[in-house]
Amino acid sequence: MAESTTPTPLPRSIGAPATRALALAGITTLDDVRGVDLDELLRLHGVGPKAILVLRETLAATD
């Protein structure tokens, strides 16, 4: 039987505006973030340097 994995949600510490902006861009899980250039996400209204830092740290910790 294949192992099913539950998608890892975005860290709550990125804040509500960043979470909404990412969701509007189709990014709702940490796995979605892995396929995107984080510097490009800074262009989204609501995603700031703090959110990017948290995402980078979270990705590094889960690799």
Side-chain angles (χ1 to χ4, degrees):
M1 182 189 287
E3 181 181 326
S4 66
T5 58
T6 303
T8 305
L10 295 172
R12 295 181 73 162
S13 57
I14 66 171
T19 301
R20 284 190 299 271
L22 292 171
L24 286 172
I27 300 168
T28 58
T29 67
L30 202 53
D31 291 329
D32 294 337
V33 174
R34 291 183 200 284
V36 180
D37 180 6
L38 294 180
D39 293 326
E40 290 289 321
L41 295 180
L42 276 171
R43 295 182 180 170
L44 297 175
H45 181 74
V47 179
K50 179 189 174 222
I52 297 301
L53 177 64
V54 170
L55 290 171
R56 285 187 199 283
E57 290 173 348
T58 304
L59 288 171
T62 58
D63 282 345

Short mmCIF file of all heavy atoms in Angstrom, two decimals:
data_model
loop_
_atom_site.label_atom_id
_atom_site.label_comp_id
_atom_site.label_asym_id
_atom_site.label_seq_id
_atom_site.Cartn_x
_atom_site.Cartn_y
_atom_site.Cartn_z
N MET A 1 0.84 -1.17 0.00
CA MET A 1 0.00 0.00 0.00
C MET A 1 0.89 1.24 0.00
O MET A 1 1.86 1.31 0.74
CB MET A 1 -0.90 -0.02 1.24
CG MET A 1 -1.85 1.16 1.25
SD MET A 1 -2.76 1.37 2.80
CE MET A 1 -3.91 0.05 2.75
N ALA A 2 0.56 2.20 -0.81
CA ALA A 2 1.34 3.43 -0.91
C ALA A 2 1.11 4.29 0.33
O ALA A 2 0.00 4.37 0.86
CB ALA A 2 0.97 4.22 -2.15
N GLU A 3 2.18 4.93 0.78
CA GLU A 3 2.09 5.81 1.94
C GLU A 3 1.49 7.14 1.51
O GLU A 3 1.97 7.77 0.58
CB GLU A 3 3.48 6.02 2.52
CG GLU A 3 3.49 6.89 3.75
CD GLU A 3 4.89 7.09 4.28
OE1 GLU A 3 5.70 6.18 4.19
OE2 GLU A 3 5.15 8.20 4.78
N SER A 4 0.45 7.57 2.20
CA SER A 4 -0.12 8.88 1.89
C SER A 4 0.47 9.90 2.83
O SER A 4 0.67 9.63 4.02
CB SER A 4 -1.64 8.87 2.00
OG SER A 4 -2.01 8.66 3.33
N THR A 5 0.76 11.05 2.29
CA THR A 5 1.33 12.11 3.12
C THR A 5 0.35 13.27 3.18
O THR A 5 -0.28 13.63 2.19
CB THR A 5 2.67 12.62 2.55
OG1 THR A 5 2.46 13.07 1.22
CG2 THR A 5 3.71 11.52 2.56
N THR A 6 0.23 13.82 4.34
CA THR A 6 -0.63 14.97 4.54
C THR A 6 0.16 16.21 4.16
O THR A 6 1.29 16.38 4.60
CB THR A 6 -1.07 15.07 6.01
OG1 THR A 6 -1.71 13.84 6.37
CG2 THR A 6 -2.00 16.23 6.23
N PRO A 7 -0.41 17.07 3.34
CA PRO A 7 0.31 18.30 2.97
C PRO A 7 0.63 19.14 4.20
O PRO A 7 -0.18 19.24 5.12
CB PRO A 7 -0.66 19.04 2.05
CG PRO A 7 -1.70 18.05 1.67
CD PRO A 7 -1.72 16.99 2.72
N THR A 8 1.81 19.70 4.22
CA THR A 8 2.23 20.56 5.32
C THR A 8 1.68 21.96 5.09
O THR A 8 1.97 22.57 4.07
CB THR A 8 3.77 20.61 5.40
OG1 THR A 8 4.27 19.28 5.49
CG2 THR A 8 4.22 21.41 6.60
N PRO A 9 0.88 22.45 6.02
CA PRO A 9 0.32 23.79 5.83
C PRO A 9 1.40 24.87 5.92
O PRO A 9 2.49 24.64 6.44
CB PRO A 9 -0.68 23.93 6.97
CG PRO A 9 -0.24 22.95 8.00
CD PRO A 9 0.47 21.84 7.27
N LEU A 10 1.08 26.03 5.43
CA LEU A 10 1.99 27.17 5.55
C LEU A 10 2.12 27.53 7.03
O LEU A 10 1.16 27.40 7.79
CB LEU A 10 1.44 28.37 4.78
CG LEU A 10 1.35 28.21 3.27
CD1 LEU A 10 0.60 29.40 2.66
CD2 LEU A 10 2.73 28.08 2.66
N PRO A 11 3.30 27.98 7.44
CA PRO A 11 3.46 28.37 8.84
C PRO A 11 2.56 29.55 9.19
O PRO A 11 2.47 30.52 8.42
CB PRO A 11 4.94 28.76 8.96
CG PRO A 11 5.51 28.70 7.61
CD PRO A 11 4.52 28.15 6.67
N ARG A 12 1.91 29.50 10.31
CA ARG A 12 1.01 30.58 10.73
C ARG A 12 1.76 31.87 10.99
O ARG A 12 1.20 32.95 10.89
CB ARG A 12 0.25 30.16 11.98
CG ARG A 12 -0.69 28.99 11.70
CD ARG A 12 -1.44 28.62 12.92
NE ARG A 12 -2.43 29.67 13.16
CZ ARG A 12 -3.47 29.53 13.92
NH1 ARG A 12 -3.66 28.40 14.55
NH2 ARG A 12 -4.32 30.51 14.09
N SER A 13 3.04 31.75 11.31
CA SER A 13 3.83 32.92 11.67
C SER A 13 4.14 33.84 10.48
O SER A 13 4.69 34.92 10.67
CB SER A 13 5.14 32.50 12.35
OG SER A 13 5.86 31.63 11.52
N ILE A 14 3.74 33.44 9.26
CA ILE A 14 3.94 34.36 8.13
C ILE A 14 2.90 35.47 8.13
O ILE A 14 3.06 36.47 7.46
CB ILE A 14 3.96 33.65 6.76
CG1 ILE A 14 2.61 33.02 6.42
CG2 ILE A 14 5.09 32.65 6.69
CD1 ILE A 14 2.51 32.50 5.00
N GLY A 15 1.81 35.26 8.89
CA GLY A 15 0.79 36.29 9.00
C GLY A 15 -0.37 36.08 8.04
O GLY A 15 -0.23 35.43 7.00
N ALA A 16 -1.50 36.64 8.41
CA ALA A 16 -2.72 36.49 7.62
C ALA A 16 -2.64 37.14 6.24
O ALA A 16 -3.07 36.53 5.25
CB ALA A 16 -3.92 37.02 8.40
N PRO A 17 -2.09 38.36 6.11
CA PRO A 17 -2.03 38.96 4.77
C PRO A 17 -1.19 38.13 3.80
O PRO A 17 -1.57 37.94 2.64
CB PRO A 17 -1.39 40.33 5.01
CG PRO A 17 -1.72 40.65 6.43
CD PRO A 17 -1.67 39.33 7.14
N ALA A 18 -0.06 37.61 4.27
CA ALA A 18 0.79 36.78 3.41
C ALA A 18 0.09 35.47 3.07
O ALA A 18 0.15 35.01 1.92
CB ALA A 18 2.13 36.52 4.08
N THR A 19 -0.57 34.89 4.04
CA THR A 19 -1.29 33.64 3.80
C THR A 19 -2.37 33.84 2.74
O THR A 19 -2.52 33.02 1.83
CB THR A 19 -1.91 33.11 5.11
OG1 THR A 19 -0.85 32.90 6.06
CG2 THR A 19 -2.65 31.81 4.90
N ARG A 20 -3.11 34.94 2.84
CA ARG A 20 -4.15 35.22 1.84
C ARG A 20 -3.55 35.47 0.46
O ARG A 20 -4.05 34.96 -0.55
CB ARG A 20 -4.99 36.43 2.27
CG ARG A 20 -5.98 36.14 3.36
CD ARG A 20 -6.94 37.30 3.57
NE ARG A 20 -6.28 38.54 3.97
CZ ARG A 20 -6.03 38.89 5.22
NH1 ARG A 20 -6.40 38.10 6.21
NH2 ARG A 20 -5.43 40.02 5.49
N ALA A 21 -2.47 36.24 0.40
CA ALA A 21 -1.83 36.53 -0.88
C ALA A 21 -1.31 35.26 -1.53
O ALA A 21 -1.47 35.06 -2.75
CB ALA A 21 -0.69 37.52 -0.68
N LEU A 22 -0.72 34.39 -0.74
CA LEU A 22 -0.21 33.13 -1.29
C LEU A 22 -1.36 32.25 -1.76
O LEU A 22 -1.28 31.63 -2.83
CB LEU A 22 0.65 32.41 -0.25
CG LEU A 22 1.96 33.09 0.09
CD1 LEU A 22 2.62 32.42 1.29
CD2 LEU A 22 2.90 33.13 -1.09
N ALA A 23 -2.43 32.20 -0.99
CA ALA A 23 -3.59 31.40 -1.40
C ALA A 23 -4.17 31.88 -2.71
O ALA A 23 -4.54 31.08 -3.58
CB ALA A 23 -4.65 31.41 -0.30
N LEU A 24 -4.24 33.19 -2.88
CA LEU A 24 -4.74 33.75 -4.15
C LEU A 24 -3.84 33.37 -5.32
O LEU A 24 -4.30 33.27 -6.46
CB LEU A 24 -4.87 35.27 -4.06
CG LEU A 24 -6.04 35.78 -3.23
CD1 LEU A 24 -5.95 37.29 -3.05
CD2 LEU A 24 -7.36 35.40 -3.90
N ALA A 25 -2.57 33.14 -5.04
CA ALA A 25 -1.61 32.73 -6.08
C ALA A 25 -1.57 31.21 -6.24
O ALA A 25 -0.77 30.68 -7.01
CB ALA A 25 -0.22 33.26 -5.75
N GLY A 26 -2.42 30.50 -5.49
CA GLY A 26 -2.48 29.04 -5.61
C GLY A 26 -1.48 28.32 -4.73
O GLY A 26 -1.25 27.13 -4.91
N ILE A 27 -0.90 29.01 -3.78
CA ILE A 27 0.11 28.42 -2.89
C ILE A 27 -0.53 28.26 -1.52
O ILE A 27 -0.76 29.26 -0.82
CB ILE A 27 1.36 29.30 -2.82
CG1 ILE A 27 1.95 29.43 -4.22
CG2 ILE A 27 2.37 28.75 -1.83
CD1 ILE A 27 3.02 30.50 -4.34
N THR A 28 -0.85 27.02 -1.16
CA THR A 28 -1.55 26.79 0.10
C THR A 28 -0.82 25.85 1.05
O THR A 28 -1.25 25.69 2.19
CB THR A 28 -2.96 26.23 -0.18
OG1 THR A 28 -2.83 25.02 -0.92
CG2 THR A 28 -3.80 27.24 -0.94
N THR A 29 0.26 25.23 0.58
CA THR A 29 1.02 24.32 1.43
C THR A 29 2.51 24.61 1.29
O THR A 29 2.94 25.29 0.36
CB THR A 29 0.79 22.85 1.04
OG1 THR A 29 1.36 22.60 -0.25
CG2 THR A 29 -0.69 22.48 1.05
N LEU A 30 3.27 24.09 2.21
CA LEU A 30 4.71 24.26 2.16
C LEU A 30 5.29 23.58 0.92
O LEU A 30 6.24 24.07 0.32
CB LEU A 30 5.35 23.69 3.43
CG LEU A 30 6.71 24.19 3.81
CD1 LEU A 30 6.75 25.71 3.88
CD2 LEU A 30 7.15 23.59 5.11
N ASP A 31 4.67 22.48 0.49
CA ASP A 31 5.12 21.82 -0.74
C ASP A 31 4.94 22.71 -1.95
O ASP A 31 5.75 22.69 -2.87
CB ASP A 31 4.39 20.49 -0.92
CG ASP A 31 4.79 19.46 0.12
OD1 ASP A 31 5.95 19.49 0.59
OD2 ASP A 31 3.94 18.63 0.49
N ASP A 32 3.88 23.51 -1.97
CA ASP A 32 3.67 24.46 -3.07
C ASP A 32 4.79 25.50 -3.10
O ASP A 32 5.22 25.92 -4.18
CB ASP A 32 2.33 25.19 -2.92
CG ASP A 32 1.13 24.27 -3.05
OD1 ASP A 32 1.25 23.20 -3.66
OD2 ASP A 32 0.06 24.65 -2.53
N VAL A 33 5.26 25.89 -1.93
CA VAL A 33 6.31 26.92 -1.84
C VAL A 33 7.62 26.39 -2.41
O VAL A 33 8.39 27.14 -3.02
CB VAL A 33 6.50 27.37 -0.37
CG1 VAL A 33 7.68 28.32 -0.23
CG2 VAL A 33 5.24 28.02 0.15
N ARG A 34 7.88 25.10 -2.26
CA ARG A 34 9.14 24.51 -2.73
C ARG A 34 9.37 24.73 -4.23
O ARG A 34 10.49 24.83 -4.67
CB ARG A 34 9.19 23.02 -2.44
CG ARG A 34 9.30 22.70 -0.99
CD ARG A 34 9.41 21.20 -0.78
NE ARG A 34 9.06 20.82 0.56
CZ ARG A 34 9.83 20.99 1.62
NH1 ARG A 34 11.01 21.53 1.48
NH2 ARG A 34 9.43 20.62 2.81
N GLY A 35 8.31 24.82 -5.00
CA GLY A 35 8.45 24.95 -6.44
C GLY A 35 8.46 26.38 -6.94
O GLY A 35 8.38 26.62 -8.13
N VAL A 36 8.57 27.34 -6.02
CA VAL A 36 8.46 28.75 -6.40
C VAL A 36 9.71 29.50 -5.93
O VAL A 36 10.27 29.21 -4.88
CB VAL A 36 7.21 29.38 -5.73
CG1 VAL A 36 7.06 30.83 -6.09
CG2 VAL A 36 5.96 28.61 -6.11
N ASP A 37 10.12 30.47 -6.72
CA ASP A 37 11.22 31.35 -6.32
C ASP A 37 10.70 32.29 -5.24
O ASP A 37 9.80 33.09 -5.49
CB ASP A 37 11.71 32.13 -7.54
CG ASP A 37 12.85 33.08 -7.23
OD1 ASP A 37 13.37 33.07 -6.09
OD2 ASP A 37 13.24 33.85 -8.14
N LEU A 38 11.26 32.18 -4.04
CA LEU A 38 10.76 32.98 -2.93
C LEU A 38 10.90 34.48 -3.18
O LEU A 38 10.07 35.27 -2.74
CB LEU A 38 11.47 32.59 -1.63
CG LEU A 38 11.19 31.18 -1.12
CD1 LEU A 38 11.95 30.93 0.17
CD2 LEU A 38 9.72 30.95 -0.93
N ASP A 39 11.94 34.88 -3.90
CA ASP A 39 12.10 36.30 -4.21
C ASP A 39 10.95 36.80 -5.09
O ASP A 39 10.56 37.96 -4.99
CB ASP A 39 13.44 36.55 -4.87
CG ASP A 39 14.61 36.31 -3.91
OD1 ASP A 39 14.45 36.58 -2.70
OD2 ASP A 39 15.66 35.85 -4.36
N GLU A 40 10.41 35.93 -5.91
CA GLU A 40 9.26 36.31 -6.75
C GLU A 40 8.02 36.54 -5.87
O GLU A 40 7.17 37.37 -6.21
CB GLU A 40 8.96 35.22 -7.78
CG GLU A 40 10.00 35.12 -8.87
CD GLU A 40 9.97 36.29 -9.82
OE1 GLU A 40 8.86 36.76 -10.15
OE2 GLU A 40 11.06 36.73 -10.22
N LEU A 41 7.92 35.81 -4.78
CA LEU A 41 6.76 35.96 -3.90
C LEU A 41 6.71 37.34 -3.25
O LEU A 41 5.64 37.80 -2.88
CB LEU A 41 6.74 34.87 -2.84
CG LEU A 41 6.57 33.45 -3.34
CD1 LEU A 41 6.57 32.47 -2.18
CD2 LEU A 41 5.31 33.30 -4.18
N LEU A 42 7.86 37.97 -3.12
CA LEU A 42 7.89 39.32 -2.55
C LEU A 42 7.09 40.32 -3.38
O LEU A 42 6.68 41.36 -2.87
CB LEU A 42 9.33 39.82 -2.43
CG LEU A 42 10.10 39.39 -1.19
CD1 LEU A 42 11.56 39.77 -1.30
CD2 LEU A 42 9.48 40.00 0.05
N ARG A 43 6.86 40.00 -4.63
CA ARG A 43 6.09 40.90 -5.50
C ARG A 43 4.60 40.85 -5.19
O ARG A 43 3.86 41.73 -5.63
CB ARG A 43 6.33 40.54 -6.97
CG ARG A 43 7.75 40.77 -7.39
CD ARG A 43 7.94 40.45 -8.84
NE ARG A 43 9.33 40.69 -9.21
CZ ARG A 43 9.84 40.32 -10.35
NH1 ARG A 43 9.10 39.71 -11.25
NH2 ARG A 43 11.11 40.56 -10.62
N LEU A 44 4.18 39.83 -4.46
CA LEU A 44 2.76 39.72 -4.13
C LEU A 44 2.41 40.71 -3.02
O LEU A 44 3.12 40.79 -2.01
CB LEU A 44 2.43 38.31 -3.66
CG LEU A 44 2.62 37.18 -4.66
CD1 LEU A 44 2.35 35.84 -3.99
CD2 LEU A 44 1.71 37.37 -5.86
N HIS A 45 1.33 41.43 -3.21
CA HIS A 45 0.87 42.37 -2.19
C HIS A 45 0.49 41.57 -0.95
O HIS A 45 -0.34 40.66 -1.02
CB HIS A 45 -0.33 43.16 -2.70
CG HIS A 45 -0.84 44.14 -1.71
ND1 HIS A 45 -0.17 45.31 -1.42
CD2 HIS A 45 -1.94 44.12 -0.92
CE1 HIS A 45 -0.84 45.97 -0.50
NE2 HIS A 45 -1.92 45.28 -0.17
N GLY A 46 1.10 41.88 0.17
CA GLY A 46 0.82 41.17 1.42
C GLY A 46 1.96 40.27 1.86
O GLY A 46 2.00 39.85 3.01
N VAL A 47 2.86 39.96 0.94
CA VAL A 47 4.00 39.11 1.28
C VAL A 47 5.22 40.01 1.45
O VAL A 47 5.65 40.66 0.51
CB VAL A 47 4.28 38.05 0.19
CG1 VAL A 47 5.48 37.21 0.57
CG2 VAL A 47 3.05 37.17 -0.02
N GLY A 48 5.73 40.05 2.66
CA GLY A 48 6.88 40.90 2.95
C GLY A 48 8.11 40.10 3.32
O GLY A 48 8.10 38.87 3.32
N PRO A 49 9.18 40.81 3.64
CA PRO A 49 10.45 40.16 3.98
C PRO A 49 10.34 39.19 5.17
O PRO A 49 10.99 38.15 5.17
CB PRO A 49 11.38 41.32 4.32
CG PRO A 49 10.78 42.52 3.68
CD PRO A 49 9.31 42.27 3.64
N LYS A 50 9.51 39.52 6.16
CA LYS A 50 9.36 38.63 7.31
C LYS A 50 8.76 37.29 6.88
O LYS A 50 9.23 36.22 7.30
CB LYS A 50 8.49 39.26 8.39
CG LYS A 50 8.30 38.34 9.56
CD LYS A 50 7.26 38.85 10.54
CE LYS A 50 7.05 37.78 11.60
NZ LYS A 50 5.68 37.59 11.94
N ALA A 51 7.75 37.33 6.04
CA ALA A 51 7.12 36.09 5.57
C ALA A 51 8.11 35.25 4.79
O ALA A 51 8.17 34.03 4.95
CB ALA A 51 5.89 36.41 4.72
N ILE A 52 8.91 35.89 3.95
CA ILE A 52 9.90 35.17 3.16
C ILE A 52 10.95 34.54 4.07
O ILE A 52 11.35 33.38 3.89
CB ILE A 52 10.56 36.10 2.11
CG1 ILE A 52 9.52 36.59 1.11
CG2 ILE A 52 11.72 35.39 1.41
CD1 ILE A 52 8.80 35.50 0.34
N LEU A 53 11.38 35.27 5.09
CA LEU A 53 12.36 34.74 6.04
C LEU A 53 11.80 33.51 6.76
O LEU A 53 12.47 32.48 6.87
CB LEU A 53 12.75 35.82 7.06
CG LEU A 53 13.71 35.37 8.16
CD1 LEU A 53 15.06 34.97 7.58
CD2 LEU A 53 13.88 36.47 9.18
N VAL A 54 10.56 33.61 7.21
CA VAL A 54 9.93 32.47 7.89
C VAL A 54 9.82 31.27 6.95
O VAL A 54 10.11 30.14 7.33
CB VAL A 54 8.54 32.86 8.45
CG1 VAL A 54 7.77 31.65 8.93
CG2 VAL A 54 8.69 33.89 9.56
N LEU A 55 9.43 31.52 5.70
CA LEU A 55 9.33 30.43 4.73
C LEU A 55 10.69 29.79 4.47
O LEU A 55 10.82 28.57 4.42
CB LEU A 55 8.71 30.93 3.42
CG LEU A 55 7.22 31.28 3.49
CD1 LEU A 55 6.78 31.96 2.21
CD2 LEU A 55 6.39 30.04 3.77
N ARG A 56 11.73 30.62 4.29
CA ARG A 56 13.09 30.08 4.08
C ARG A 56 13.53 29.21 5.26
O ARG A 56 14.05 28.11 5.08
CB ARG A 56 14.09 31.20 3.88
CG ARG A 56 14.05 31.88 2.55
CD ARG A 56 15.22 32.88 2.41
NE ARG A 56 14.98 33.86 1.38
CZ ARG A 56 15.10 33.62 0.07
NH1 ARG A 56 15.45 32.44 -0.35
NH2 ARG A 56 14.87 34.59 -0.79
N GLU A 57 13.31 29.71 6.47
CA GLU A 57 13.71 28.97 7.67
C GLU A 57 12.93 27.68 7.80
O GLU A 57 13.49 26.63 8.16
CB GLU A 57 13.53 29.83 8.91
CG GLU A 57 14.52 30.97 9.00
CD GLU A 57 14.25 31.93 10.14
OE1 GLU A 57 13.14 31.86 10.75
OE2 GLU A 57 15.11 32.76 10.41
N THR A 58 11.64 27.72 7.51
CA THR A 58 10.81 26.53 7.61
C THR A 58 11.21 25.49 6.56
O THR A 58 11.31 24.29 6.87
CB THR A 58 9.32 26.89 7.45
OG1 THR A 58 8.98 27.88 8.43
CG2 THR A 58 8.44 25.67 7.63
N LEU A 59 11.47 25.94 5.35
CA LEU A 59 11.91 25.02 4.31
C LEU A 59 13.25 24.38 4.67
O LEU A 59 13.44 23.18 4.48
CB LEU A 59 12.01 25.74 2.96
CG LEU A 59 10.70 26.11 2.30
CD1 LEU A 59 10.95 27.02 1.10
CD2 LEU A 59 9.93 24.88 1.88
N ALA A 60 14.17 25.17 5.19
CA ALA A 60 15.49 24.64 5.58
C ALA A 60 15.36 23.61 6.70
O ALA A 60 16.08 22.61 6.71
CB ALA A 60 16.40 25.78 5.99
N ALA A 61 14.44 23.85 7.61
CA ALA A 61 14.27 22.94 8.73
C ALA A 61 13.59 21.63 8.32
O ALA A 61 13.75 20.62 9.00
CB ALA A 61 13.45 23.62 9.83
N THR A 62 12.86 21.65 7.23
CA THR A 62 12.14 20.44 6.81
C THR A 62 12.86 19.66 5.73
O THR A 62 12.40 18.60 5.34
CB THR A 62 10.72 20.79 6.31
OG1 THR A 62 10.80 21.70 5.23
CG2 THR A 62 9.88 21.38 7.43
N ASP A 63 13.97 20.19 5.23
CA ASP A 63 14.73 19.46 4.19
C ASP A 63 15.63 18.42 4.79
O ASP A 63 16.00 18.36 5.87
CB ASP A 63 15.57 20.43 3.36
CG ASP A 63 14.72 21.16 2.34
OD1 ASP A 63 13.58 20.73 2.10
OD2 ASP A 63 15.19 22.16 1.80
#
